[in-house]
Amino acid sequence: MPSVAVKPKQEQAKAKKPVLKVEDLHTYFEVRRMGFFKVGDVRALDGVSFELYPGETISIVGESGCGKSTLAKTILGIHRPTKGKIYFDGQDLSTLDKDGWKKYRSNLGYIMQDPYGALPPFMTVKRILEEPMKINGITDKKEHAKRIRQVLEEVKLAPIEDFLPKFPHMLSGGQQQRLVIARAMILEPKMLIADEPVSMLDASVRVEILQLLQGLQRKHNLAIIYITHDLSTVRYFSERIFTMYGAKIIEKSATKALLHEPLHPYTKALFEATSDPDAENLKTFKDVPAGEPPSLMNPPAGCRFHPRCKYIIKGLCDREIPPEFAARSDHSAACWLYKDRA
Amino acid sequence: MSNNVLLDVRNLKLHFRTRSGPVQAVDGVSFQLREGHTLAVVGESGCGKTSLAKAILRLLPRNVTTFSGSVIFEGQDIMKYDDEKFRREIRWSKIAMVPQASMNSLNPVIRIEDQLMEPLLIHENISKQEAAQRVRDAFAVVGLPVDFLARYPFELSGGMRQRAAIAMALASKPRLVVLDEPSSALDLLTQANLMNVLKKIKHEFKTTFILITHDIGTASELADEIAVMYAGEMIEYASADYFYTDAHHPYSQKLMASVPTLREDKDLAFIPGQPPSLINPPAGCRFAQRCEKRFEKCSEHPRVTSLKNGASVQCWLFDEMGEVKHA
């Protein structure tokens, strides 16, 4: 069986060391009946591996329940992995003690979907931005003021003096999200995890926030994991795209290669389902698979997409789990259709 | 498709009273909708799209200060009906609505079938058997297996519940269905499947829809006409063909430029600034502060100008029929 798992890398990134390395990561949640008898596991993350380089953005696309947020939360240390390893700057996270975790987390910025829910309603902008510094042992008031000024300038919340005494509810949605980004940036992290950062914002503000993140990335050489269900924003914003389905990464690709030709039938369906603004759409029906994503307690045998897939190879797809086939140097898919192209 | 005008809205106003002053949620909206056509109302949050739908269906909260204008439906001015007549003759029997997040509005302890039959039994003088049959038909139309009718809402997935909510609106065979963000809470594939279903209903039954959405991409799946709302006003109305290739109002153009596209590469641009407060909107054009093309005239309130192809735009740039005066 030709099972070549070539990791797509960017040319310029090859020489650099990855800031984050994830190896065969599994996160299971136990399901208990009556709070006592274990009846099974929800396999929210089932064998995910990749490397992330400084200055690079990886987009992770997929529908709700595919495990993309579990991946983010496992990397953040909110969930402990059941199996597998995470390395940050070469260090294994499972070996960290309490102080080590604190230091690791200060190197990570987290941007959530709902900015209002992510901001404490009773704190002013100034206090919200001071909090991470206090927790991480930066006590110098002058340093506080300097950093706050710097991040607010970076996220373009100006004039700064007007914003400092404001409470989150006094800001618009876009401003709230910029404050969340400012808070994520205040400890000068090496990496940002943005979980659906623009899905609750209006179209005209979305682009502004994404361009802001891009600007910060260039300036600080940040590594970014951008989690989204919206395929149309990824082309403007990332170097690589991973597609997740049923708790696994099923396609890894450089953005250009994916836009040229998506390989996995599920990614193809996502492409088909995305509507660009075009009056011609009215005249055609979309060719998308019916059905629902699989249960993660009892996932189907073989490829998890096979019950919905129109290219199914009977006897293979419904029996054996497809490995990652590299169809091109920068593009691989976990799908039996590509076993001969590898 | 016939060319009969089913709905003719003229100078519709809906203002609310709040502690900080009156909010002009819908302020002088006029449009016509032909039978069998779909009008997509697009705009950003807080622009008055949902208030417009609620004003048409007269689903009003208690703090309304102004509710005026005329809504001519099937040739009758339904604004003149009293509340009881409106409830009996119009709401749900002729104009139905699928409100935002309606998939979460189903009662969890009542079977789907009983919930879907309820409006039919209240509004129409029919037997339970007939109502059950109508509900089964509506279920088949939205592509759900009929045996799911006996289930409770929690036994259905989000996409299925949304379809059930749409079936509930269709069961009474209304002539106009208002869909408020029908697909925005759903996953991508589920959303595409739902748009297929709505398209099929539109083709087969010639149902007239008003589709309210913030997603200009999805709107193009169903819309024959597009209306853009900004700060309580309808600033542009055009056929979809015309709008998607050549939007006129500076706001519409900017909005189109801010929408990322999957299939073509374009330079994305955002709109700086924020929409004005609806409590004390500026006297002139409400978009003027954010508009790159503003000139002296924009401090006066712009008139609605009719352009060719039945489009209309509320902007001083087009004050002479289809002619750009100041580019």
Side-chain angles (χ1 to χ4, degrees):
Chain A
M1 195 192 305
S3 134
V4 195
V6 177
K7 293 213 171 67
K9 282 180 189 174
Q10 272 186 287
E11 289 307 312
Q12 76 267 31
K14 264 181 186 162
K16 282 190 255 176
K17 282 207 299 196
V19 60
L20 182 83
K21 190 175 169 197
V22 172
E23 263 181 16
D24 196 31
L25 200 63
H26 292 67
T27 304
Y28 290 0
F29 299 107
E30 267 184 25
V31 181
R32 288 167 187 273
R33 184 161 292 159
M34 300 192 300
F36 188 67
F37 303 107
K38 186 180 165 181
V39 288
D41 287 306
V42 170
R43 305 182 185 182
L45 207 57
D46 215 2
V48 166
S49 308
F50 65 90
E51 287 172 352
L52 176 70
Y53 293 90
E56 179 193 37
T57 304
I58 293 180
S59 290
I60 297 178
V61 296
E63 297 180 280
S64 43
C66 73
K68 54 192 197 304
S69 289
T70 306
L71 175 62
K73 288 181 179 168
T74 308
I75 294 170
L76 283 159
I78 297 171
H79 302 314
R80 289 292 156 96
T82 313
K83 209 173 102 188
K85 293 246 191 275
I86 305 170
Y87 297 92
F88 185 79
D89 265 351
Q91 188 170 26
D92 183 353
L93 293 191
S94 62
T95 64
L96 291 180
D97 57 7
K98 213 178 157 199
D99 285 345
W101 269 105
K102 203 167 171 180
K103 190 160 177 294
Y104 164 65
R105 286 201 175 110
S106 72
N107 268 313
L108 264 184
Y110 183 33
I111 298 159
M112 297 128 248
Q113 178 174 12
D114 172 10
Y116 188 67
L119 294 167
F122 50 84
M123 284 193 189
T124 59
V125 170
K126 184 161 177 267
R127 262 199 77 191
I128 288 170
L129 292 174
E130 278 174 346
E131 204 77 355
M133 292 190 280
K134 282 184 191 161
I135 291 168
N136 284 280
I138 302 167
T139 45
D140 183 9
K141 283 267 153 68
K142 273 185 194 154
E143 177 73 14
H144 283 188
K146 195 187 112 207
R147 285 208 189 184
I148 287 174
R149 173 163 294 277
Q150 193 190 337
V151 286
L152 287 180
E153 264 168 26
E154 281 182 354
V155 300
K156 300 189 181 72
L157 280 179
I160 292 163
E161 278 68 31
D162 290 1
F163 280 103
L164 287 178
K166 282 193 177 174
F167 288 95
H169 74 267
M170 300 158 129
L171 308 176
S172 71
Q175 288 171 339
Q176 286 171 2
Q177 195 59 293
R178 278 187 274 171
L179 178 57
V180 170
I181 294 171
R183 182 177 62 181
M185 289 300 297
I186 198 139
L187 294 172
E188 296 165 354
K190 290 182 176 171
M191 186 173 120
L192 282 185
I193 296 180
D195 191 351
E196 304 265 18
V198 294
S199 65
M200 295 197 46
L201 304 176
D202 275 317
S204 66
V205 189
R206 270 181 201 181
V207 180
E208 189 179 6
I209 296 291
L210 289 177
Q211 287 178 350
L212 179 72
L213 281 173
Q214 215 161 23
L216 288 171
Q217 176 174 45
R218 288 206 189 106
K219 192 169 166 201
H220 300 279
N221 199 29
L222 283 169
I224 298 183
I225 296 180
Y226 172 53
I227 295 173
T228 182
H229 67 278
D230 183 4
L231 262 177
S232 53
T233 54
V234 298
R235 87 174 291 151
Y236 301 93
F237 193 58
S238 56
E239 283 79 37
R240 285 195 282 157
I241 300 176
F242 297 170
T243 314
M244 283 189 77
Y245 186 79
K248 287 175 181 291
I249 296 180
I250 53 156
E251 184 159 359
K252 291 180 181 173
S253 171
T255 303
K256 272 194 188 139
L258 190 80
L259 292 168
H260 176 66
E261 190 201 359
L263 295 180
H264 198 286
Y266 176 68
T267 318
K268 285 185 183 169
L270 287 181
F271 265 69
E272 171 71 19
T274 305
S275 310
D276 279 343
D278 183 354
E280 291 298 308
N281 288 341
L282 179 60
K283 291 162 194 157
T284 51
F285 284 91
K286 287 191 174 298
D287 180 20
V288 286
E292 309 282 330
S295 147
L296 295 178
M297 256 181 94
N298 289 307
C303 172
R304 293 186 177 174
F305 189 59
H306 86 259
R308 302 169 77 186
C309 184
K310 61 178 176 181
Y311 303 102
I312 180 172
I313 307 165
K314 285 253 158 64
L316 183 62
C317 295
D318 49 359
R319 288 211 185 124
E320 294 192 47
I321 296 171
E324 226 172 76
F325 294 112
R328 283 189 287 268
S329 66
D330 57 356
H331 199 163
S332 63
C335 175
W336 286 115
L337 290 176
Y338 301 98
K339 65 177 191 287
D340 300 326
R341 274 172 71 175
Chain B
M1 272 174 221
S2 68
N3 281 333
N4 296 339
V5 171
L6 181 69
L7 182 75
D8 186 355
V9 174
R10 290 181 199 162
N11 201 21
L12 189 65
K13 285 186 182 179
L14 178 62
H15 297 178
F16 302 119
R17 183 181 57 242
T18 65
R19 239 185 283 169
S20 16
V23 174
Q24 308 180 5
V26 179
D27 205 26
V29 167
S30 306
F31 66 91
Q32 288 189 339
L33 179 56
R34 281 182 294 173
E35 190 162 9
H37 277 227
T38 297
L39 171 73
V41 181
V42 300
E44 296 177 84
S45 41
C47 71
K49 321 184 279 287
T50 301
S51 295
L52 173 65
K54 290 191 170 164
I56 292 169
L57 268 146
R58 224 191 272 185
L59 296 167
L60 305 175
R62 263 184 291 180
N63 59 345
V64 169
T65 49
T66 312
F67 179 48
S68 66
S70 57
V71 178
I72 296 158
F73 180 74
E74 295 179 320
Q76 300 281 323
D77 188 352
I78 55 173
M79 284 289 276
K80 295 210 174 81
Y81 288 17
D82 62 37
D83 283 350
E84 181 57 20
K85 191 174 177 191
F86 190 89
R87 185 186 71 79
R88 269 190 287 111
E89 295 181 13
I90 301 294
R91 194 184 297 134
W92 218 269
S93 46
K94 289 202 168 145
I95 308 179
M97 182 171 179
V98 181
Q100 210 163 351
S102 48
M103 61 187 219
N104 301 327
S105 66
L106 297 168
N107 189 329
V109 296
I110 300 178
R111 288 179 200 277
I112 303 267
E113 183 171 27
D114 297 327
Q115 296 194 48
L116 264 61
M117 273 161 57
E118 195 183 350
L120 293 176
L121 295 172
I122 290 172
H123 281 287
E124 296 177 39
N125 199 7
I126 56 175
S127 69
K128 258 196 142 170
Q129 282 78 13
E130 271 178 85
Q133 185 56 43
R134 290 263 289 276
V135 165
R136 275 199 293 277
D137 293 345
F139 235 56
V141 167
V142 297
L144 286 175
V146 173
D147 53 322
F148 277 40
L149 274 169
R151 295 195 185 190
Y152 290 97
F154 67 85
E155 297 176 293
L156 272 62
S157 70
M160 288 179 176
R161 273 182 284 145
Q162 187 67 28
R163 287 186 196 203
I166 291 169
M168 192 167 173
L170 292 173
S172 60
K173 301 209 165 103
R175 297 193 68 188
L176 175 65
V177 181
V178 181
L179 304 164
D180 190 358
E181 304 274 8
S183 64
S184 46
L186 302 174
D187 268 321
L188 201 54
L189 296 188
T190 320
Q191 182 176 332
N193 276 317
L194 185 74
M195 290 322 274
N196 279 344
V197 167
L198 290 172
K199 224 181 269 187
K200 197 185 85 191
I201 295 167
K202 176 174 146 66
H203 288 311
E204 278 180 25
F205 301 96
K206 309 276 176 267
T207 313
T208 311
F209 287 110
I210 294 179
L211 170 69
I212 291 168
T213 179
H214 66 279
D215 184 343
I216 298 177
T218 314
S220 70
E221 293 291 334
L222 209 62
D224 299 288
E225 278 91 31
I226 303 274
V228 183
M229 287 195 69
Y230 185 78
E233 296 179 324
M234 194 172 277
I235 56 153
E236 182 157 0
Y237 177 95
S239 74
D241 284 329
Y242 200 40
F243 180 83
Y244 281 112
T245 48
D246 191 13
H248 277 80
H249 196 284
Y251 174 69
S252 315
Q253 290 173 350
K254 288 242 168 192
L255 196 61
M256 289 291 285
S258 72
V259 177
T261 48
L262 178 64
R263 288 164 190 86
E264 81 185 278
D265 219 350
K266 69 176 184 188
D267 287 329
L268 294 178
F270 59 88
I271 313 176
Q274 283 166 45
S277 151
L278 294 179
I279 291 174
N280 262 319
C285 171
R286 293 182 182 181
F287 185 62
Q289 286 167 314
R290 302 167 80 186
C291 185
E292 286 166 356
K293 294 178 180 164
R294 66 169 173 267
F295 56 108
E296 315 83 68
K297 194 103 199 208
C298 298
S299 55
E300 284 172 51
H301 195 268
R303 291 188 294 225
V304 177
T305 310
S306 299
L307 306 174
K308 55 189 171 175
N309 298 359
S312 60
V313 58
Q314 183 178 322
C315 176
W316 284 117
L317 291 172
F318 305 96
D319 200 33
E320 274 173 23
M321 283 285 281
E323 295 271 315
V324 181
K325 283 169 95 179
H326 299 253

